[in-house]
Amino acid sequence: MHLFTDLTSRLSLSQKGLIVLAIPLALQLALIVWLLQLNAETEKNAAAIDRAKQISDASIEFLGHNYAAASLALGALESDGPLDPAFGRNIDLLVEDGKRLVELLDKGSEAKYKVDKILRASRQMLKETDNGTRGLKSKFPEGSEGRNLMLAQLPAYGHELESLVDMNRKEQLLAESDFKTQLQARQRTQIMVITITIINAVLVSIMFVLFRGDVINRLNRINDNSMLIASGKPLPPPMVGSDEIVRLDNVFHDMSRILFKTSQKERAMVENVRDVICSLNAKGTFDEVSAAAEQVFGYTPEELIGSKIINLVGDEERSALTERLQAIIKGGNESTFEMRVRRKDGLVVDVLWSAVWEPNEGTLFCVAHDISERQRAERMRQELVQMVTHDLRSPLTSVQGILDMIVTGKANPGDENGKRMMTVAARSVARMIFLVNDLLDIEKMHAGMFELQRKNVSVVSIFELSSSGVETLFAEADIKLVCEDHGLMVNADPDRLVQILVNLFSNALKFSKSGTTVTATAEQLGDCVEFKVRDEGRGIPKDQVAQVFDRFQQVSSEDRMKNFGTGLGLAICKSLVELHGGDISVVSEEGKGSTFSFRIPSENTSKDGQELQADVLKKRASSMMLGKNRQGRIF
C-alpha cells in the first residue's frame, strides 16, 4: 500500500483513476483483438475446407464423367456400332465440370493445368469420334495409328484424373487437419479467455483496493485532521505528493497553523488581561477559568475548576447570586451586576460581573472585573470631599466670622480679645495653607514634577531643624522628644528630609499619651542611613498596618475631627522617601506603640541624584497611569 502511494504520490486523482481503468481496459482490448484475429483465421480455414470440398466433389463428378465417356469409347472400339448417345452427354457434363473446377482452382496450379489438359483431350476425342455418328472400329481399325493413339490416351487420362483426385483428397485432408487444429486452438482460446478474464478481474480488484486504500485512507486522515483542529490538538506530519487530497491536507495544515497562532494570541490576551474570563455550566460550576483568577480571587484556575461560584461569596449573598444566575439563564440576555467576593486570603474585593448565557453550548460565559480600586477611589473622593469640607470650610468659616466681627466693630484687634481672635484666624489660615501645600506636593510627586535638591548633610542638623519645629507642641502635650545621632552624613534634600521627620513627629504626637516619649534615631546600614521614629502610643490595628500609607485615610473618623488631620502626611513621607531612592515601613502592635522606619542612601554613589529622582518619578507616574498605585493609608 505504501509503495503504491509512493509511486502515485505525484499523480492527480483523475490520473490515478485513469490508470485503474486503463490497465483492465487494455487487457480487454488485447483479448478482443486476439479473438477477432482467431475468428478470422477460423473463418478463413472454414472457407478453405468448403472450397476443398467443392473441388473434391467437382473432381469426383469430373472423374466419373471421364470414366463413363472412356468406357463408352472403348466399347465402341470393340464393336463396330455407333457410340452410345450418352457419350456426348458425358462429354458435355465433363466440360461443365471442368469449367467449374477451373473456377475453383488457383491460377497456375498443377491441378488446373491437368484439368485443362483433360478438357482438351476430351474435346479432341469428341471431335475424332464425330460424336459417335459412325462406328469407331471401322474408323479406327485394329492396328491403325489412330486406334493405338486413342487406346494409349485413355489410360493416361485415367492417371491424370486419379492424380487430380489424389491431390484434391490431400488438400481436403489437409484442410480437415487444419480445421481440427483450429478447433483445438479455439478450445485453448476459450480456456485462455476464461483465464485472462479471471486475471483481469483479480487485477481490477487489486487496483480498486489499492486505489480505494490510497484515497479512502487519506480522506479518513483528512477527516481526522478536521477533528484535531476542532479539538485544538496538533496535526500529524503533512502528506507527501501533489494530488487534490495532498493539497487539501496542506490547506488543513495551513489552517491549523493560523488557528494555532490565533489561539496563542487569544490565550495570551486572556491570560494577561486583568479581568477574569470564565465559563460556568447550568449548575454554576466553573468549567474554564483564566489565569487572572489568581490575582483577583487568590485561587489558581485549577483550584476553581470543578467548584461552584457561590463558594466565592458569603452565606448571606449565595441565594441572591443563585437567583440572578438562573434569571440570566432563563432570560438569555447579557446581564451586569456587582458582587463582593471573598478571596482565598480572606480579603473581600468588589467585583463587577458581566454574564451571558449561550444555550447552544449550555454555558454561562462571564467576565469578572475587579472594581476594588474604583470603589477605593470613590471612597477616597468622598473622603477628600469630607476632608475639604471639614478642613477648609471650618477654618474659612472661623476666619470669616472673625473678620465680620472686626468689620462690624464687635471686636477690636487692639484689645486682648481681638488679639486672641486674630491668633485663631492666623492659625486657621496656616492650617488651610498647610493643607493646600500638602495637596500640591503630593500631586506634583505623582505627576513627576517634584524636584529634589540633594546634597550631603549631617543627620544632627536634620534632627535639630525637625525637632525645633515641633518642640512647642511636644512641650504643651507633656511628651518628650529624644533624637539620637552618631555623627552620620546623608545625601538628601535637607528641606524634604526635615518635612519627612516633622510629619512622623506630628503623627507620633497625635497618638501618644502625656508623659510618654517619642524617640528618633539614625543608624548606618551599609550604604544607607536608617531613620526610626518610635512612639509609645495606642498603636495601629493589625488589619490596617498594610494600608497605613494610603492617601486621605484615618484610623477612624474621630481622629480627623479630633486631630484635624489631612490624611496626607504619611503618603507624602512615603513619596519623598521613594524620591530619594529609599523605602519606608512601619512595625506596630496595638496598645504598645508604633515604629516608623525609612532608609536614605548615605552617599550619592550609585547614580546621579537627578537621574535617580527622574527614575522614581517615572515609575510613580507609570504606576498611576496603569492604575496600580497601592500605597498604604495614613492616619
Side-chain angles (χ1 to χ4, degrees), residues 380-422:
M380 187 180 296
R381 185 190 65 80
Q382 294 175 357
E383 291 171 356
L384 176 61
V385 172
Q386 293 175 359
M387 183 269 297
V388 170
T389 299
H390 177 269
D391 293 344
L392 288 180
R393 187 174 64 180
S394 297
L396 283 173
T397 302
S398 176
V399 171
Q400 184 181 16
I402 293 171
L403 291 175
D404 287 342
M405 291 178 68
I406 294 174
V407 170
T408 58
K410 295 180 180 180
N412 184 4
D415 60 18
E416 192 68 26
N417 186 43
K419 290 180 180 180
R420 185 181 59 82
M421 289 185 178
M422 293 299 293

Side-chain angles (χ1 to χ4, degrees), residues 31-99:
L31 180 61
I32 291 173
V33 171
W34 184 36
L35 290 176
L36 290 175
Q37 183 178 1
L38 182 62
N39 184 62
E41 293 178 356
T42 302
E43 291 179 354
K44 181 180 179 181
N45 191 44
I49 292 173
D50 183 66
R51 178 171 169 274
K53 185 175 182 302
Q54 292 180 11
I55 292 173
S56 177
D57 292 342
S59 298
I60 292 172
E61 292 179 359
F62 185 67
L63 181 61
H65 294 143
N66 269 282
Y67 277 121
S71 298
L72 292 174
L74 289 174
L77 287 174
E78 294 297 330
S79 65
D80 196 19
L83 281 171
D84 192 299
F87 177 79
R89 291 194 298 272
N90 281 308
I91 292 298
D92 292 337
L93 293 173
L94 177 67
V95 172
E96 292 179 4
D97 293 337
K99 290 180 179 180

Side-chain angles (χ1 to χ4, degrees), residues 546-561:
Q547 301 141 355
V548 74
F549 294 104
D550 271 348
R551 291 180 294 170
F552 309 116
Q553 296 299 321
Q554 299 281 1
V555 172
S556 66
S557 59
E558 295 179 358
D559 292 335
R560 174 174 287 128
M561 299 298 296

Side-chain angles (χ1 to χ4, degrees), residues 165-314:
V165 171
D166 290 340
M167 184 179 299
N168 289 334
R169 187 179 294 112
K170 289 179 181 180
E171 290 182 2
Q172 186 175 4
L173 292 175
L174 181 60
E176 291 177 354
S177 175
D178 290 341
F179 182 72
K180 292 179 180 180
T181 302
Q182 194 70 21
L183 289 176
Q184 293 176 357
R186 185 173 295 179
Q187 293 176 353
R188 289 194 300 270
T189 301
Q190 292 177 352
I191 297 174
M192 187 64 67
V193 168
I194 295 173
T195 303
I196 292 178
T197 302
I198 294 174
I199 293 174
N200 196 23
V202 173
L203 183 60
V204 170
S205 301
I206 293 174
M207 295 292 293
F208 176 76
V209 170
L210 291 175
F211 184 77
R212 181 182 180 277
D214 175 59
V215 174
I216 300 301
N217 290 342
R218 294 193 296 159
L219 288 177
N220 290 334
R221 185 171 170 182
I222 293 293
N223 183 61
D224 294 339
N225 287 347
S226 65
M227 301 300 293
L228 292 175
I229 290 178
S231 60
K233 296 180 180 179
L235 300 184
M239 301 178 189
V240 178
S242 58
D243 63 7
E244 293 82 352
I245 297 179
V246 173
R247 290 197 292 271
L248 181 60
D249 182 65
N250 292 334
V251 170
F252 270 86
H253 277 79
D254 293 340
M255 187 189 307
S256 176
R257 285 190 290 271
I258 294 173
L259 290 177
F260 179 72
K261 291 181 180 179
T262 304
S263 176
Q264 278 187 321
K265 293 180 181 178
E266 291 178 353
R267 189 179 298 110
M269 293 175 61
V270 170
E271 290 179 353
N272 291 295
V273 73
R274 294 183 62 195
D275 295 341
V276 179
I277 301 175
C278 59
S279 62
L280 311 172
N281 59 23
K283 297 181 180 180
T285 302
F286 285 103
D287 290 334
E288 295 183 10
V289 185
S290 66
E294 189 169 4
Q295 179 182 355
V296 177
F297 301 147
Y299 294 94
T300 64
E302 292 75 16
E303 291 175 322
L304 289 176
I305 293 176
S307 64
K308 293 184 176 296
I309 189 174
I310 59 175
N311 295 333
L312 295 177
V313 301

Side-chain angles (χ1 to χ4, degrees), residues 485-505:
D485 77 279
H486 304 280
L488 302 176
M489 298 293 293
V490 65
N491 184 266
D493 185 328
D495 295 335
R496 300 308 173 185
L497 195 54
V498 169
Q499 184 180 357
I500 295 170
L501 288 171
V502 168
N503 277 334
L504 293 178
F505 290 161

